[in-house]
Every structure is written in structure tokens, then in C-alpha cells.
Amino acid sequence: MSKVVDLRSDTVTKPTQKMREAMMNAVVGDDCYGEDPTVNALEKLAAEKVGKEAAMYVPTGTMGNTAAIMAHVRSGDIVIMEPDCHIYYYEMGNVSSLAGALPVLAKSKGGCLDPDLVEEMLRSTRHRPRTALICTENTHNRAGGRVIPIENMKAIYELSREFNVPIHLDGARIFNAAIALNVDAQEIAKYADSVMFCLSKGLSAPVGSLLAGTADFIQEARRARTRLGGAMRQAGVIAAAGLIALRDMVSRLPEDHENAKVLAEGLAKIEGIDIDLQKVETNMVMVNTRPLGMGAEEIARELSKRGVKVSIYGLHTIRLVTNKDVDRDGIRLAIEAFEDLVASIP
Ligand SMILES: Cc1ncc(COP(=O)(O)O)c(C=O)c1O
């Protein structure tokens, strides 16, 4: 079978051999009793990586975000977020259905919350429900892996201190953001009270995310995790791969960013392909299919016939995500598939 280049997401990455061996040999215990040494080691390392007191292992990023919101808010509270954030757009309404909170949407640009808008919302709460949380996301998925600059995070953080409202950061790809900003992940996480990040995306673990914050917050989040059915037992079997993800795989993420640049530049040279190269900041490339006179679905189907898988991100937008399992050769094949497709358009 000819090679398939899967650029749908960095979640498609397969665990490494070292991860598989670590999983087989993991020392485990019952994590609900706090007795799984591998989970404990992962939670400790995760908290250190983002400069927080404590961390909790969860099966998915969605559960990490949901447990965080449940731990921060009471039923009927307002959570400020922007309409394209993963929590609002993809997480099945958990913020209202499971946490009982009311998402109030602040328009954003490139995933950045507008501090003026947020301030207006924070100020206008006298006859309204209590505002209990602000959610941010870095890197921003629907914005195409865009990085939220430090100044924006800082501006929102300062407001949050003034109004005494905590911030939860969906940092599913916080290490990609840190690399692009050329800072440590702690430097990003310090502008949030709680942060969730994923091991199962660019870091290639088969499963798992972490939620980090103060020790008191994490204790409350553990109750929320149990309510969600996410308290696991000998979870060290999967946490063992997570430890390798955190220790070994962060340092290879720049390779994905470089590949995204090579891919974007190669595609931008093809007539009719519309890419804003300025917006390629991490491992994602967004392509506007409109100038080709074809919808995203049709383009995705045609590329798939040529061995390249991409995600549909709108009627006329496709997303390509570079990842560990696509090397420079794969990037070249993807560019060639686009060239072939464009050449076939009458
Ligand atoms: C920004 C962001 N947050 C959260 C998640 C949820 O992670 P999971 O799929 O592990 O639930 C994703 C998944 O793609 C994501 O991109």
C-alpha cells in the first residue's frame, strides 16, 4: 500500500516503542487510594513543568477542562470565554450541562480575548449572575495553532486579579506555545490559576492529560473527576507513556513547527492556494479553498484519494497539522498531492 500522510491532527500520533515498553513494565497501584507510583510521578512532574503546586491525571483534555470548570464555579455562574475556544465549540456544552454555568462569549481575534470587552463583562455584573471564571486557550486550535502573545495573557490576568475572578487556561498544546514564544511553559501558565495540557497530541502519548493548579484546587478537581467517572485505578499503565511524553517528546516539537513552515511555504507557491504564512506559528496550517472554486469537503476527498488526510474546518477551510508521524518526506508528498489536485482542476 502506498504511504498515507495523515495531517488531520497531532492526535493521530502513535506511541513510541519506548512508551510501549514503559507501559508494559509500569509499576502500578490503585490511584483512587493515591497509591499508583507512576501516576504520582507523572502528576508531580506535570505540576513542576507548569509551575503549579499540584496536578491531576485525567484520560482526556475534555475531562480536564470540565473538571476544572466544575471545581471553579457554582451552578448559575458566568464563565467568560470566546466563541471559537475548544471548551465552547467542541466540548458538548459541558460548561452548562455538567458544570451548570452560563458561558458568556467575548468576541476574539486570532484566539485573543479583547481586554476591553472582558473588562466590560466583568464590570456589568451587578444585576447579573456572578462571574466565576475566565477561560483562555493557548495555542488556539480553531485559530489554526495561533499563539496568544504574553501581553494579551498578561492584560487578561491583570483584569482577573482586579475583579477577583480566576482564569482557566486550556493549554492542550502549551508546549507548542512555549516553543513559539521562546519561553518556558511556566511563563505562560503563570497567567492562569489552573491549566490543562495534553500528552496525547504532539507529545504522542496514547492517552492522557493533566490539570494543574493549587493543591486545594486539585483536591476539589479530584471530586469533579470522580463525578465524571474519571477516577482510574492502575492508571500507571498509561501514565508510564505520559512520563515519556513529558520527558522526551517536548524537545522534538520544534521539528513539527519547522515542517509546518515548509508545508505552508510549499503550498503557498501553488497557484490558487490561499495561505496566510504569517499565521503559521506552530504545527498547524489553515488553507482557504475558495480560490480553487471547491469546498473543503471536496478538497479533503480529493486529497484523500491521493493519500493525504486533512481536516475540514469550515465550508472553505481545511486544516493540516504536522506531527511526529509525518517526516519531511511526508510533507513533500502532501505538497505533491496538492500540486496534482490543482493541476487536475479544469
Ligand atoms: C485546544 C484543545 N483543548 C482541548 C482538547 C480536548 O482534548 P481531548 O480530545 O483529549 O478531550 C483539544 C483536542 O483536540 C484541543 O485541541
Side-chain angles (χ1 to χ4, degrees):
M1 207 179 97
S2 61
K3 190 170 167 176
V4 170
V5 183
D6 197 343
L7 292 163
R8 285 171 301 169
S9 178
D10 44 12
T11 58
V12 301
T13 43
K14 307 276 192 333
T16 62
Q17 189 56 30
K18 193 169 167 189
M19 286 178 182
R20 291 170 193 266
E21 280 160 22
M23 289 170 76
M24 195 169 74
N25 297 317
V27 183
V28 297
D30 190 333
D31 183 45
C32 291
Y33 291 98
E35 287 175 5
D36 189 305
T38 310
V39 171
N40 292 343
L42 176 62
E43 290 180 341
K44 185 166 177 287
L45 179 63
E48 279 165 20
K49 287 267 183 196
V50 290
K52 301 291 181 202
E53 244 172 41
M56 170 179 81
Y57 187 46
V58 281
T60 64
T62 300
M63 188 182 287
N65 283 333
T66 307
I69 296 167
M70 287 165 76
H72 278 298
V73 311
R74 295 191 302 245
S75 171
D77 285 343
I78 284 176
V79 181
I80 298 175
M81 57 183 72
E82 46 84 36
D84 269 329
C85 74
H86 197 278
I87 289 173
Y88 182 74
Y89 199 91
Y90 289 112
E91 296 187 8
M92 304 294 156
N94 288 353
V95 61
S96 36
S97 63
L98 296 173
L102 174 69
V104 170
L105 303 179
K107 268 196 217 139
S108 64
K109 211 169 166 201
C112 291
L113 281 166
D114 177 342
D116 287 346
L117 267 181
V118 171
E119 180 169 355
E120 206 172 295
M121 288 174 169
L122 288 167
R123 280 192 190 285
S124 67
T125 55
R126 196 150 168 247
H127 301 289
R128 303 184 67 205
R130 183 179 79 117
T131 297
L133 186 64
I134 301 169
C135 290
T136 58
E137 185 175 315
N138 204 0
T139 62
H140 197 284
N141 182 349
R142 284 194 60 78
R146 296 295 300 279
V147 179
I148 310 303
I150 298 278
E151 308 80 68
N152 183 260
M153 288 188 281
K154 198 160 171 234
I156 303 296
Y157 183 75
E158 281 167 3
L159 280 172
S160 76
R161 296 312 96 168
E162 189 185 334
F163 290 88
N164 208 16
V165 173
I167 295 185
H168 172 66
L169 168 65
D170 176 347
R173 297 179 180 83
I174 194 172
F175 298 107
N176 295 85
I179 286 158
L181 289 167
N182 200 18
V183 297
D184 201 277
Q186 294 185 6
E187 190 56 32
I188 297 174
K190 79 177 188 194
Y191 296 112
D193 299 275
S194 58
V195 53
M196 183 286 292
F197 63 88
C198 296
L199 305 170
S200 58
K201 301 192 162 60
L203 303 185
S204 308
V207 65
S209 295
L210 275 307
L211 174 65
T214 64
D216 281 351
F217 169 79
I218 290 300
Q219 197 179 331
E220 193 52 37
R222 287 191 192 282
R223 293 195 179 97
R225 184 182 67 175
T226 302
R227 283 174 66 193
L228 296 169
M232 298 178 282
R233 302 295 177 176
Q234 285 74 35
V237 170
I238 44 178
L243 270 171
I244 291 169
L246 264 190
R247 286 181 186 142
D248 293 3
M249 304 301 279
V250 175
S251 62
R252 62 150 307 284
L253 290 177
E255 207 180 297
D256 294 344
H257 295 195
E258 280 152 32
N259 279 341
K261 279 214 166 62
V262 171
L263 175 65
E265 283 163 8
L267 294 181
K269 286 191 190 126
I270 304 171
E271 211 186 319
I273 300 267
D274 181 21
I275 294 176
D276 187 341
L277 293 176
Q278 300 290 326
K279 292 184 180 166
V280 182
E281 295 179 316
T282 58
N283 63 337
M284 297 186 190
V285 179
M286 306 298 265
V287 180
N288 172 17
T289 68
R290 214 181 277 270
L292 296 173
M294 287 164 89
E297 255 185 61
E298 200 181 351
I299 293 276
R301 205 170 35 244
E302 285 302 317
L303 287 170
S304 168
K305 284 184 202 161
R306 292 163 172 83
V308 176
K309 293 186 180 180
V310 301
S311 280
I312 297 160
Y313 252 63
L315 274 181
H316 291 95
T317 309
I318 54 170
R319 187 191 73 167
L320 296 87
V321 186
T322 53
N323 61 73
K324 168 183 80 57
D325 296 340
V326 177
D327 57 13
R328 201 50 76 84
D329 222 31
I331 298 296
R332 192 180 45 76
L333 289 175
I335 297 169
E336 283 172 10
F338 270 88
E339 284 169 346
D340 187 58
L341 165 57
V342 172
S344 74
I345 300 173

